[in-house]
Structures are given as structure tokens and as C-alpha cells.
Amino acid sequence: TARLESGQIAATERAELIALDKTLTATPFDETRYRAVQDRIQLLSPVEAEVGKLLVAGAALAADLEQIEMIDTTRRERDISREQKALQDVSLSQNIEALGKVREEYDLLAAELNRIERIRAETQEQFGAARQRVEDLLTQAEEREMMAAERQRVAEQKAIYDELVLAFGKRGIQAMIIENVVPELEDEANRILDKMPGNTMHVEFRTQRQTARGEGTIETLDIIIGDEVGHRAYELYSGVEAFRLNFAIRVALSMLLARRAGARLQTLVIDEGFGTQDAHGRDGLIEAIRAIEPDFQMILVITHIAELKEMFPTRIDVVKELDGSRVFVN
């Protein structure tokens, strides 16, 4: 109704009514005209029903138009949504394509990450090994310093021991002792030889001699034997002469050791020293023993040679029997 009143529906008919109303107002009352108008109104009375129908149709049309407008709006929104979806599809397609590249890049980066992780693990392992090696080296350095100090201490001790070895070696104190003892030993041996009847020998000890090349001297202990003829090798002397030499040197050495020990050598024991001598040689040996007899309180001669038993004033005979040995003093 509002739309009808506002002229939105049946505008033409309404305009005709308005025009008629104006004409009616401006026209003087005319019966004939009036009746004609009445007839016209009556003729037009169905129009009002049609107008009502038109109003209803207009309302329905308005509703339909509104619905059509809503449908158009919905269609447009759907079109827009479809366009947006199309754009989204394009964007998604592009994103999917980009995602494929991203996936490839991701796979490459993942592979690179795995490689880096392996390298990191290997590096950590190498670092741990290197750190352990450094710790070992530090420990070894400390041990080396300790060993160097110990080596220095041992070297110092070795130097002391080397000096002691040299001092107590044959070129040290021993050489000094020999150097000091040799003249005394030489004099004592020659004194004993001089006491022997008919002796013409003398002995000399030499502690140094030239090297074979003549480039210096070496430590030695050579026994030089001489007589009225000159110096000869030990092997060139007779058995009696060799025994006298040996006897004199041994007795002299024993007496020298006794004096060095602060004691007096009072007993001399000679055990089986005559087996290689002939009768003349044995006589010479007895003379050698008698020559040193004043230097000892007792001289014991041990022998199995019967001829020698009668040459000594006192004899101790040991006789071996079945039940044991018997001793006889004559």
C-alpha cells in the first residue's frame, strides 16, 4: 500500500485519476457530464479490483525483486567467491609449484644438514680424541719433566759413580796402591832372592809400557827378570830358577799383605811345591826355604816325596789306614 500511495505501483492509472480529479474539479457540474462520469466510474470500477490485484502483484513483485536482488547479490558474491577461489586456486597452484621447489630445497637442505651433522659428529669425535691426546701429551710432558729431572739426578749420580769407578778401578786407587806397593814388593822379593845361596837373579815390576803403535802408554803389570847376563823371558829360566822366582814373589806378597793388614806373618805353608823338580832342583828349593827361615816362627811343608822328609828336623807323618788316618810326630 505504501508503495501504491507513493506512486511506485500503477503510476499511469494514478496519474489518470489525478488528472480526472483535476478535470472534475475544474469542470462545472453538468448532469449529463455527471452521468457520463458516473458511467465512466462504473465502467472503471473493475480497475480498482485490478488495482488491488496490481498492489498485491506489486507487493509480490517487490518481494520477488527483493529476492531476485538477494539472489543477484548471492550470485555476485558467489561469482566473487568463485573468482577469489579461482585466484586462490591459481595462488594454490603457484604455491604448490613453489612448494615443490621448497620441497626440493628442503630435501637438499636436509641432506646438507645430515652431512653437517655427520661432520659435526666426526669433528666432535676428533675434538674429543685431540683433547684426550692433548691431555696425554700434557701428562707425558709432566712425566718427561719428571724423567728429565730424574735423568739429571741419575746423570749426576752416574758422574759420581763414574768417578768412583775410575777412582776404584785399575787406573784409580788400585793403580795408586799398586804404584805404592810395587817398589816395596819388588824390594822384598829381591831381598828374599838375595838370601838364597848362589842367587844372581833380580826381579823388576813395571806398571806402564808403550802401546804397540808407540802412541802412548797403557797400564800393565809386567815382571822383568834379570841376572848377570841380562834380561830374559820367564820361560827361558830353569825349573829351580823359576821356582825361586815364584817362591820369592809369593812370599814377598804374603809378607807385604800381612804388613798392610797390621799383622806379622809368622807361619808359612808350602803345599806340594816340589813335584816337577829333580834332585838338584829339590836341593835348591830347600836352600830357598832355609834362606827365609829366620823370617817365620813356623814353616810347614806338605809333600808326598820321601826324599824330602829327611831334610827337615821335625816331621809329621799322616798314615792312612782302613779304620782312619794316624798321625806320627818325629
Side-chain angles (χ1 to χ4, degrees):
T1 304
R3 293 180 63 188
L4 183 60
E5 292 176 354
S6 63
Q8 295 180 359
I9 299 175
T12 303
E13 290 78 1
R14 187 175 180 78
E16 289 179 359
L17 288 173
I18 293 171
L20 290 173
D21 187 55
K22 287 181 179 180
T23 303
L24 182 60
T25 302
T27 304
F29 181 77
D30 184 353
E31 184 69 21
T32 303
R33 180 73 174 167
Y34 172 76
R35 290 186 178 278
V37 170
Q38 285 293 330
D39 293 336
R40 181 67 176 170
I41 291 172
Q42 187 176 2
L43 182 63
L44 293 176
S45 58
V47 174
E48 184 176 1
E50 293 295 331
V51 169
K53 293 180 180 179
L54 288 175
L55 290 175
V56 174
L61 179 61
D64 292 339
L65 291 174
E66 185 176 357
Q67 186 174 3
I68 291 171
E69 185 177 356
M70 291 176 62
I71 292 173
D72 290 338
T73 302
T74 302
R75 183 182 57 77
R76 286 194 298 271
E77 290 176 353
R78 288 180 178 178
D79 292 340
I80 294 172
S81 177
R82 189 180 296 108
E83 292 177 358
Q84 290 177 350
K85 288 182 178 181
L87 294 175
Q88 289 178 355
D89 291 341
V90 174
S91 177
L92 287 174
S93 299
Q94 294 175 351
N95 290 337
I96 290 172
E97 184 178 356
L99 181 61
K101 296 181 180 179
V102 170
R103 183 66 183 179
E104 293 178 359
E105 185 177 358
Y106 171 81
D107 292 338
L108 293 175
L109 292 176
E112 180 67 14
L113 179 61
N114 291 333
R115 187 183 68 84
I116 293 174
E117 286 293 334
R118 289 196 301 272
I119 294 174
R120 184 180 67 85
E122 293 175 358
T123 303
Q124 286 182 343
E125 183 178 357
Q126 293 175 358
F127 175 76
R131 182 168 60 184
Q132 183 63 40
R133 179 61 177 167
V134 169
E135 293 177 357
D136 293 341
L137 290 175
L138 291 176
T139 302
Q140 292 178 5
E142 294 177 358
E143 293 178 354
R144 182 177 180 276
E145 291 179 359
M146 295 174 61
M147 293 178 66
E150 180 66 15
R151 181 178 181 276
Q152 180 64 27
R153 185 184 67 81
V154 171
E156 293 175 356
Q157 290 185 347
K158 181 180 181 298
I160 295 174
Y161 290 143
D162 288 342
E163 292 180 0
L164 292 175
V165 169
L166 181 61
F168 290 98
K170 65 179 183 179
R171 296 186 180 182
I173 296 175
Q174 295 182 21
M176 294 176 61
I177 293 175
I178 292 174
E179 289 289 342
N180 293 329
V181 168
V182 163
E184 185 177 355
L185 178 63
E186 185 178 300
D187 292 342
E188 188 67 31
N190 286 325
R191 183 183 69 81
I192 294 172
L193 286 173
D194 291 340
K195 287 184 178 182
M196 298 179 185
N199 177 67
T200 59
M201 296 183 298
H202 63 276
V203 64
E204 178 184 354
F205 297 98
R206 294 181 182 177
T207 58
Q208 291 183 347
R209 67 180 175 186
Q210 290 287 331
T211 61
R213 296 182 180 181
E215 297 176 351
T217 59
I218 59 173
E219 300 291 335
T220 185
L221 183 59
D222 294 333
I223 302 175
I224 308 301
I225 304 171
D227 55 13
E228 71 277 4
V229 178
H231 294 94
R232 286 182 293 165
Y234 175 84
E235 294 81 4
L236 298 179
Y237 286 90
S238 65
V240 176
E241 292 173 331
F243 177 83
R244 287 185 174 186
L245 288 169
N246 294 334
F247 183 78
I249 293 173
R250 290 177 180 177
V251 172
L253 182 59
S254 298
M255 296 177 69
L256 178 62
L257 292 175
R259 283 198 299 269
R260 290 279 175 173
R264 186 172 181 271
L265 187 62
Q266 297 180 345
T267 302
L268 177 64
V269 180
I270 303 174
D271 186 8
E272 297 294 349
F274 314 102
T276 60
Q277 305 296 323
D278 55 13
H280 177 71
R282 292 170 189 157
D283 292 338
L285 298 179
I286 297 299
E287 291 177 356
I289 293 173
R290 294 190 184 283
I292 62 171
E293 189 176 358
D295 296 328
F296 300 92
Q297 289 185 359
M298 180 183 296
I299 298 178
L300 294 178
V301 179
I302 302 172
T303 182
H304 290 83
I305 301 174
E307 293 84 354
L308 290 177
K309 297 179 181 180
E310 303 298 332
M311 296 184 180
F312 297 99
T314 303
R315 187 172 73 247
I316 300 174
D317 293 331
V318 179
V319 180
K320 187 175 182 180
E321 296 179 353
L322 293 177
D323 56 350
S325 298
R326 299 177 64 186
V327 179
F328 300 94
V329 181
N330 299 314

